[in-house]
């Protein structure tokens, strides 16, 4: 069992930055791939970024590539999402998730993940 709690969301103007944090508790955190997803009102939940258990292999949605950076610190049981050059279309609830599987191809799909946080709101003003 893994428990996840997101923090760091808020209101920011276009072009600003935020850093989201996801604090994890539970067993064998270092063996999980970690992902960030987001969901805007009336929209489907979409993939944002993921990082594998080794902390090296990362994946990004095309819409955030070059602007967002995912990282993890296994010693602190924490995963981060650094968000730069924010746009109004980035406005959404952002969710942290943990994946215990071994498939590299499934880390971009929300239904592959075993555990989810409750989300943190990010609002980018236009």
């Amino acid at each position: 069992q893994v428990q996840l709690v997101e923090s760091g969301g808020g209101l920011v103007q276009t072009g600003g930055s935020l850093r989201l944090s996801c604090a994890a508790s539970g067993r064998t955190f270092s063996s999980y791939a970690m992902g960030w997803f987001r969901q805007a009102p009336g929209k489907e939940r979409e993939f944002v970024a993921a990082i594998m258990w080794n902390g090296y292999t990362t994946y990004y949605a095309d819409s955030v590539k070059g602007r967002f950076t995912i990282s993890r610190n296994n010693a602190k049981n924490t995963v981060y999402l650094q968000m730069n050059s924010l746009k109004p279309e980035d406005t959404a609830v952002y969710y942290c998730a943990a994946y215990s599987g071994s498939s590299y191809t499934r880390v971009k799909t929300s239904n592959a993940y075993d555990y989810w946080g409750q989300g943190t709101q990010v609002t980018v003003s236009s």
Side-chain angles (χ1 to χ4, degrees), residues 2 15 21 32-33 37 41 50 54 58 65 79 83 86 89 102 105 125:
V2 175
S21 298
Y32 287 82
F37 294 78
N54 59 19
T58 58
K65 193 174 298 181
V79 63
M83 309 164 65
L86 284 162
E89 50 263 47
S102 59
T105 63
S125 64

Side-chain angles (χ1 to χ4, degrees), residues 1 6 12 16 20 26 29 59 73 86 104 115 118 120:
Q1 181 69 32
E6 303 95 334
V12 65
L20 306 184
F29 171 78
Y59 305 89
N73 188 327
L86 284 162
Y104 290 90
Y115 305 104
Q118 294 190 7
T120 185

Side-chain angles (χ1 to χ4, degrees), residues 2-47:
V2 175
Q3 294 80 44
L4 306 172
V5 180
E6 303 95 334
S7 63
L11 175 64
V12 65
Q13 291 185 326
T14 297
S17 297
L18 288 171
R19 189 180 74 159
L20 306 184
S21 298
C22 176
S25 62
R27 57 198 297 261
T28 63
F29 171 78
S30 62
S31 67
Y32 287 82
M34 301 296 296
W36 287 96
F37 294 78
R38 66 187 182 187
Q39 187 167 24
K43 304 295 184 180
E44 298 287 337
R45 185 171 298 186
E46 65 175 351
F47 169 77

